[in-house]
Amino acid sequence: MSGQTIVITGANRGIGLQLARKYAARLDRVYAVVRESHPELEEVDGVDVIEGVDVTDEDALSRLPDRLSSVDIDVLINNAGILHFDGLGNLDFESMRRQFEVNSLGPLRVTQALLPRMVKPGGKIAIVTSRMGSIADAESSGMYGYRMSKAAVNMAGKTLANDLSGDGLAVVLLHPGYVATDMTNHQGTVHPADSARGLIARIDALDMASTGRFFHMSGEELPW
């Protein structure tokens, strides 16, 4: 499925960087939308870096379509996200608000801004979420802000799938696994490259029959 145009947010490190590498390696055209670039991202052949875009900055996002004015997007991957550790004993409500802004509203803002650039029909929108946003699967404690922000973006993604089905745009919610990145203080059990490989497989398989569903990068369907 090479030869597509891929836009990835938060592609300067971790899973996003690995996604950019793997798509570029199979000769897709990749646009990395980031707040700040990184030397490792700059070294990837076949990636155009678009800096200065924070997914919470409405002004920056309003200019993004013009910065991609000649681009027809086949796949939009909303990957940018943040995690703050908390528990009942150290709740930080400002931190929770920030996680909602980035993790929940960010993908919706980016998608809204880039919809005019999406290929219709046949375009795909992927949201990198977390099974920690699954209410049915919530068996552990703590991480209030992160869990709630991911539950919210799951609802946003499901609703986007409903709204965009008439345009032939498919939307998928994807759990990347417990990945060893800066976000998790490198405590994860999955290497970012392995996670990216699984995510790409799920996106490649996405079609209108599977739109609006929630998958582990391994292919397992997850409960809401």
Side-chain angles (χ1 to χ4, degrees):
M1 298 187 69
S2 61
Q4 300 179 102
T5 297
I6 317 292
V7 174
I8 308 167
T9 64
N12 56 338
R13 61 179 184 170
I15 298 168
L17 175 60
Q18 293 295 334
L19 286 168
R21 284 175 171 161
K22 292 189 180 303
Y23 276 117
R26 71 179 202 180
L27 303 182
D28 289 307
R29 186 179 183 186
V30 180
Y31 292 88
V33 177
V34 298
R35 289 183 300 166
E36 296 179 359
S37 191
H38 188 279
E40 289 188 72
L41 179 60
E42 299 285 349
E43 292 170 0
V44 183
D45 291 334
V47 174
D48 293 308
V49 181
I50 300 177
E51 288 190 89
V53 181
D54 187 313
V55 299
T56 70
D57 185 340
E58 294 185 12
D59 288 338
L61 290 173
S62 70
R63 295 189 294 271
L64 185 56
D66 289 337
R67 298 177 71 178
L68 292 166
S69 59
S70 61
V71 177
D72 294 322
I73 302 169
D74 295 293
V75 178
L76 169 61
I77 304 177
N78 287 289
N79 167 72
I82 58 173
L83 181 156
H84 295 297
F85 294 91
D86 61 23
L88 270 180
N90 63 331
L91 293 177
D92 181 338
F93 291 97
E94 189 55 42
S95 168
M96 290 183 187
R97 290 186 187 95
R98 177 65 179 167
Q99 288 177 93
F100 268 93
E101 285 289 338
V102 175
N103 299 343
S104 310
L105 301 181
L108 198 55
R109 288 191 182 101
V110 172
T111 300
Q112 181 187 51
L114 293 182
L115 272 178
R117 299 282 176 262
M118 294 293 302
V119 170
K120 306 181 188 74
K124 302 179 181 184
I125 299 167
I127 298 173
V128 179
T129 178
S130 172
R131 71 187 308 160
M132 292 184 74
S134 167
I135 295 173
D137 193 47
E139 300 297 335
S140 55
S141 58
M143 310 283 284
Y144 283 83
Y146 187 73
R147 291 177 190 278
M148 291 189 296
S149 70
K150 291 301 187 178
V153 81
N154 286 353
M155 177 58 81
K158 178 64 175 175
T159 308
L160 277 171
N162 296 339
D163 281 339
L164 298 177
S165 62
D167 294 321
L169 290 171
V171 182
V172 68
L173 289 303
L174 295 173
H175 171 61
Y178 183 27
V179 187
T181 63
D182 291 344
M183 180 183 285
T184 61
N185 295 323
H186 298 277
Q187 298 300 305
T189 57
V190 179
H191 190 279
D194 293 329
S195 176
R197 189 176 298 109
L199 293 172
I200 290 171
R202 303 286 76 73
I203 295 167
D204 283 348
L206 175 64
D207 58 19
M208 294 309 296
S210 55
T211 190
R213 292 162 69 181
F214 182 18
F215 292 101
H216 191 288
M217 62 90 178
S218 67
E220 172 193 2
E221 186 160 8
L222 297 174
W224 299 111

